[in-house]
Amino acid sequence: METPPVSTIGEKDTSQPEQQWEKNPREKLDSVTQISQQPPTETLELGVSPDSASQILENTQGTEKLVAEPEGDSHKSHGSTSQMPEALQTSDLWYCPDGSFVKKIIIRGHGLDKPKLGSCCRVLALGFPFGSGPPEGWTELTMGVGPWREETWGELIEKCLESMCQGEEAELQLPGHSGPPVRLTLASFTQGRDSWELETSEKEALAKEERARGTELFRAGNPEGAARCYGRALRLLLTLPPPGPPERTVLHANLAACQLLLGQPQLAAQSCDRVLEREPGHLKALYRRGVAQAALGNLEKAAADLKKVLAIDPKNRAAQEELGKVVIQGKKQDAGLAQGLRKMFG
């Protein structure tokens, strides 16, 4: 699991006079804000009607099978636990690249290592506003493993832990949260590994587990959690040499289904594009891209994709219904345009 770079804000630059920071604080703050607003490399988003659910999920080999979670690594503590953390003289801020939170370091940790895939972390979490937040007090979380990552707070905590050193204590500023600050302390963690350190067979096994769990969540009516699983599986497989395993096609198709249900047709269309680059006749990808294009108002592109589905499978009922909606919507647009022209030139 890759760790995003940590941007440290507010430390004094010994190479320039202190007055320069006091003189140009707005300029530096703007540069940090631009970084925090950049979109993540891979975002999971989602709007298709429930009656199309039968067309949603890709399953190439029949019943999905949940793979047992891998055992954690050795619980040998990483680094010295006797070393006292160093208190900060000034606050350090770290902006999560996807904009989901800002981390304010209260007590600096020691060492340079950070939790990686498989690291068992001893964590103290306080003040989370979510109804199903982590348990108050000390708990152990294993990076990249376990159902805790599927909770509302799971992805946020995992991203934060990836940026923390042993002994670090931080407050998290969450968008829209006006209550007391959320506080997270990383007491210790065991040795883990970056994704690039894994063997090909290990990556494929982890990706298979994520896919199986994603399918389970999707069928349980949780497309958001399913999208996170499919996204994590894809990030593992994208590090393999091209053309990569055929599993990637299935994952992109399933991710598109989640993105449609979550009201993100632009991302769904992009996921379908990746499928169709490898399999131009992939029915579900053509159907989902057609639905996505219709939601985006690209009616001609939507009709073209849906007609391709019907050319391959003339009895595809979902495609027939969606194409009918597109035709009706197109006629309404044409009528509105004609009325506007009559008013303009009448």
Side-chain angles (χ1 to χ4, degrees):
M1 183 171 296
E2 301 296 334
T3 303
V6 179
S7 300
T8 305
I9 310 302
E11 292 190 37
K12 295 180 181 179
D13 186 349
T14 57
S15 64
Q16 297 183 9
E18 182 177 352
Q19 292 127 350
Q20 184 171 354
W21 164 255
E22 296 175 352
K23 182 178 180 181
N24 298 315
R26 176 62 58 183
E27 180 180 348
K28 293 192 175 184
L29 183 58
D30 290 344
S31 66
V32 173
T33 304
Q34 290 176 2
I35 295 174
S36 69
Q37 292 177 345
Q38 291 179 356
T41 303
E42 190 151 355
T43 308
L44 307 178
E45 301 180 55
L46 307 228
V48 69
S49 59
D51 61 354
S52 303
S54 62
Q55 291 290 321
I56 292 298
L57 210 49
E58 177 72 3
N59 186 352
T60 58
Q61 298 181 350
T63 305
E64 295 286 352
K65 200 169 186 180
L66 181 62
V67 180
E69 295 176 358
E71 295 181 2
D73 291 336
S74 166
H75 286 262
K76 180 179 178 181
S77 179
H78 191 77
S80 169
T81 56
S82 61
Q83 182 179 349
M84 293 298 293
E86 174 189 357
L88 293 177
Q89 298 301 316
T90 56
S91 295
D92 286 351
L93 298 181
W94 181 79
Y95 291 81
C96 185
D98 65 3
S100 58
F101 66 92
V102 179
K103 183 183 74 171
K104 177 182 179 182
I105 301 176
I106 305 302
I107 299 177
R108 188 192 301 277
H110 45 270
L112 299 176
D113 291 336
K114 298 176 176 64
K116 301 176 182 178
L117 182 64
S119 293
C120 182
C121 304
R122 182 165 173 75
V123 176
L124 175 64
L126 298 172
F128 274 79
F130 310 115
S132 59
E136 294 281 323
W138 291 101
T139 187
E140 289 190 353
L141 304 173
T142 302
M143 301 290 286
V145 178
W148 68 273
R149 304 162 72 219
E150 298 153 15
E151 300 291 342
T152 306
W153 49 269
E155 189 173 18
L156 184 147
I157 287 186
E158 190 166 43
K159 290 175 185 175
C160 187
L161 290 175
E162 288 175 343
S163 72
M164 298 178 75
C165 296
Q166 182 171 310
E168 182 176 320
E169 182 177 341
E171 288 183 352
L172 306 185
Q173 301 171 12
L174 310 178
H177 175 55
S178 58
V182 173
R183 184 161 293 207
L184 195 65
T185 302
L186 175 61
S188 62
F189 60 92
T190 60
Q191 181 67 50
R193 291 187 292 173
D194 285 314
S195 60
W196 56 265
E197 298 178 282
L198 301 176
E199 299 292 337
T200 298
S201 59
E202 292 177 297
K203 293 179 182 180
E204 290 177 343
L206 286 172
K208 185 178 180 181
E209 179 186 348
E210 291 285 5
R211 176 190 167 187
R213 182 57 179 158
T215 300
E216 182 180 340
L217 290 171
F218 187 94
R219 290 172 176 166
N222 183 1
E224 186 175 4
R228 284 196 290 267
C229 291
Y230 293 142
R232 287 194 292 260
L234 279 168
R235 283 191 286 274
L236 286 166
L237 297 181
L238 287 172
T239 61
L240 299 179
E247 184 86 358
R248 285 171 52 179
T249 301
V250 178
L251 288 166
H252 278 301
N254 286 358
L255 180 59
C258 297
Q259 291 164 335
L260 283 173
L261 288 174
L262 292 172
Q264 299 169 349
Q266 184 67 51
L267 291 176
Q270 293 173 2
S271 295
C272 291
D273 286 343
R274 295 188 178 100
V275 175
L276 295 169
E277 287 171 1
R278 300 180 63 147
E279 295 185 27
H282 195 288
L283 281 182
K284 291 185 178 181
L286 285 169
Y287 170 79
R288 291 165 192 164
R289 190 171 69 175
V291 174
Q293 295 290 5
L296 293 168
N298 302 325
L299 301 184
E300 291 185 6
K301 292 182 178 180
D305 281 337
L306 294 170
K307 287 177 181 178
K308 288 179 182 177
V309 173
L310 293 173
I312 300 172
D313 181 10
K315 296 182 179 180
N316 191 305
R317 187 170 180 178
Q320 291 173 351
E321 293 176 356
E322 289 298 327
L323 182 59
K325 295 176 184 178
V326 169
V327 171
I328 293 173
Q329 190 175 352
K331 289 180 179 179
K332 289 181 179 179
Q333 283 188 358
D334 292 342
L337 178 60
Q339 184 177 4
L341 291 174
R342 284 195 296 269
K343 288 182 179 180
M344 184 180 298
F345 298 105

